[in-house]
Amino acid sequence: MPMYDADDIVELKNRKKRRKRLIKLLIFLLISLIALGLYHYRGEWLPKLQGLGKHYQTIRNSGRLAEGNFPIEINGGAEYQFEYSEDTLFRLSDAYIYYYNTDGGQLKKRQHAFTNSVLNVAGENALIFESGGNELVVETQDNILYSKQMENTIIFARISKEAYTAVVTTSDNYACQLTVYNNKGENIYQRNCVERINDISFTGDSEGCVLSYLGAENGTLVTSVQKIDFSDENELWTSPGINTFGLETYSANSGAFVLGYSSCAYVDKNGEITSFYEYDGDLAGGDSKGGKSAVIINDDERRKYTMVLFDKEDETPITIEFDDPLEYVTVYDGLAYVMSKESLCAYDFSGNLRSTADVSDSCTQFRRSSDYIFLMSYNRVDRIDYNS
């Protein structure tokens, strides 16, 4: 047995104390580094942690129709176009453009002279153009921002919330011509296209847009997507052909979402096709905002009615089955709102039912605001309170 004198024993105790202090210091530093790392990356893990165990109780809205200025009556059941944006309701008839507040009070009424008029809205701006004609006007509730008379026939046009307008017209030497005007009506971009443009979606703060073209590959009709910047003559990227007749194209996460007649697809920021979904039935509608997309599909023969939700371009979509045919769908504030003959429901993109309301079977479409649902039928527009 080794012998220790008093000095050795004291030194041994001091070493043990120093070792304990060093271990405590190392543990403290390690905890501090972990805490610092968690704080630095809190934007990634905190939302996921907050969502754990979170259960949404389905809100059952009464579906009771508003009174006062509602319903907005459509005389004689004439065809009309109706849109909502920035706390303003827009209604276009064959002779007038109407502005209403969300309580249904008429703010303005202006006559137009277009024979085959089309309404497109974004922000506080309304674009009215004559399909098959050569005139358009961009206005707000307060005044007309600018009007244009094109040299060639207008095929279609789109407006951004910054009041930029993209106009696709016929061309003598090309399949079509694209002209873009800024919010002062100045021509800032022009492009001659060897293939027909079938839709346009503005990107960001109207610094560019994504275009979709119809073409053919190996005898099959395909849709390709192209991204352009208005400050660059050359396109940023062009996607391969997508096996579908493209109906609408939406800007999504620096790429695009293509809603087609028989299928839909995502294109990423490099122009590559990252996902493709073929419908099991007939397309009944679709919408996409902020990269989140919803498509409704009806198969009457098999009595199969489905909504498909796409949260991200590289994730497996979620399918939700319904008992009745689906009429209309829109994406608003991160939720998908879908209407069947007698009900209107909101789902999150995890497939959870968030809210529901009974509606009349005469409704064919609706528009969503932060507080209300505006129900459209052939001769009237109604409003219901709707919480999600």
Side-chain angles (χ1 to χ4, degrees):
M1 180 175 178
M3 299 296 292
Y4 297 98
D5 59 23
D7 292 337
D8 291 335
I9 293 173
V10 170
E11 178 63 22
L12 186 61
K13 288 182 178 181
N14 288 337
R15 286 180 184 176
K16 288 182 178 180
K17 289 180 180 180
R18 286 196 295 271
R19 187 180 299 112
K20 287 181 179 180
R21 285 198 296 268
L22 180 60
I23 292 173
K24 288 180 179 179
L25 177 62
L26 291 174
I27 292 174
F28 174 77
L29 291 175
L30 181 61
I31 293 174
S32 298
L33 288 173
I34 292 173
L36 184 63
L38 289 172
Y39 178 79
H40 181 73
Y41 293 103
R42 65 191 184 281
E44 297 181 14
W45 62 266
L46 186 57
K48 298 179 180 179
L49 182 61
Q50 290 172 337
L52 288 177
K54 194 171 186 178
H55 177 71
Y56 291 104
Q57 182 178 0
T58 301
I59 299 172
R60 300 199 175 276
N61 294 281
S62 68
R64 182 179 177 182
L65 301 179
E67 299 178 349
N69 295 314
F70 286 97
I72 298 173
E73 299 284 355
I74 314 298
N75 294 331
E79 289 188 7
Y80 69 97
Q81 298 169 56
F82 183 84
E83 297 295 342
Y84 164 82
S85 182
E86 299 288 340
D87 296 324
T88 303
L89 304 173
F90 306 79
R91 178 168 71 91
L92 182 70
S93 71
D94 58 354
Y96 293 92
I97 172 73
Y98 301 84
Y99 292 78
Y100 304 89
N101 59 30
T102 54
D103 290 325
Q106 184 175 306
L107 303 172
K108 176 184 174 182
K109 171 184 175 182
R110 186 184 71 79
Q111 190 171 15
H112 65 80
F114 298 152
T115 302
N116 190 20
S117 57
V118 179
L119 173 68
N120 189 239
V121 304
E124 298 178 348
N125 314 300
L127 162 67
I128 308 169
F129 66 92
E130 184 163 14
S131 179
N134 64 349
E135 294 183 67
L136 64 85
V137 60
V138 175
E139 62 179 74
T140 66
Q141 174 191 330
D142 299 321
N143 61 294
I144 292 178
L145 299 182
Y146 57 88
S147 60
K148 294 292 175 182
Q149 186 164 1
M150 311 299 293
E151 293 183 2
N152 295 311
T153 302
I154 297 174
I155 302 172
F156 71 91
R158 298 286 184 267
I159 192 169
S160 73
K161 66 181 186 300
E162 290 81 19
Y164 282 49
T165 304
V167 189
V168 178
T169 61
T170 58
S171 172
D172 293 334
N173 301 315
Y174 296 88
C176 64
Q177 184 178 71
L178 169 64
T179 306
V180 180
Y181 300 99
N182 65 13
N183 53 12
K184 297 179 182 178
E186 300 167 337
N187 185 336
I188 61 167
Y189 185 87
Q190 197 162 57
R191 187 181 190 88
N192 294 314
C193 304
V194 295
E195 293 180 310
R196 177 75 170 264
I197 299 174
N198 69 317
D199 200 18
I200 294 173
S201 178
F202 283 93
T203 60
D205 296 325
S206 300
E207 77 278 5
C209 62
V210 290
L211 315 171
S212 59
Y213 297 91
L214 289 177
E217 293 180 3
N218 301 319
T220 302
L221 189 67
V222 298
T223 300
S224 59
V225 185
Q226 189 175 79
K227 186 174 183 179
I228 60 174
D229 189 292
F230 299 144
S231 62
D232 194 339
E233 292 184 359
N234 300 314
E235 62 271 11
L236 301 181
W237 49 255
T238 302
S239 78
I242 302 167
N243 236 355
T244 191
F245 183 103
L247 300 173
E248 296 181 74
T249 301
Y250 304 86
S251 175
N253 302 328
S254 298
F257 176 76
V258 178
L259 178 69
Y261 180 77
S262 58
S263 58
C264 59
Y266 273 102
V267 177
D268 69 11
K269 62 183 180 181
N270 299 312
E272 298 298 325
I273 302 171
T274 56
S275 67
F276 178 84
Y277 185 90
E278 191 167 6
Y279 311 144
D280 186 17
D282 298 324
L283 176 69
D287 192 27
S288 180
K289 290 184 179 69
K292 298 179 183 292
S293 308
V295 178
I296 51 176
I297 304 159
N298 291 334
D299 187 338
D300 292 322
E301 290 186 2
R302 294 189 295 164
R303 297 179 180 271
K304 184 178 180 182
Y305 313 108
T306 308
M307 178 170 67
V308 187
L309 301 176
F310 305 85
D311 192 5
K312 295 180 180 178
E313 60 192 38
D314 57 350
E315 292 185 356
T316 302
I318 292 172
T319 59
I320 301 171
E321 302 293 335
F322 294 83
D323 295 328
D324 301 306
L326 302 176
E327 298 284 326
Y328 190 78
V329 67
T330 191
V331 176
Y332 183 89
D333 199 21
L335 298 177
Y337 294 82
V338 59
M339 184 171 69
S340 62
K341 282 292 185 183
E342 297 182 350
S343 67
L344 195 153
C345 302
Y347 289 83
D348 63 28
F349 278 77
S350 296
N352 300 309
L353 177 63
R354 295 285 295 274
S355 53
T356 183
D358 294 333
V359 297
S360 168
D361 61 3
S362 65
C363 299
T364 56
Q365 293 187 27
F366 64 90
R367 300 293 183 263
R368 175 63 164 145
S369 77
S370 57
D371 298 311
Y372 309 113
I373 294 284
F374 300 96
L375 301 169
M376 302 164 58
S377 56
Y378 84 101
N379 65 345
R380 61 196 291 167
V381 175
D382 281 298
R383 190 196 78 185
I384 61 173
D385 293 342
Y386 197 98
N387 296 317
S388 297

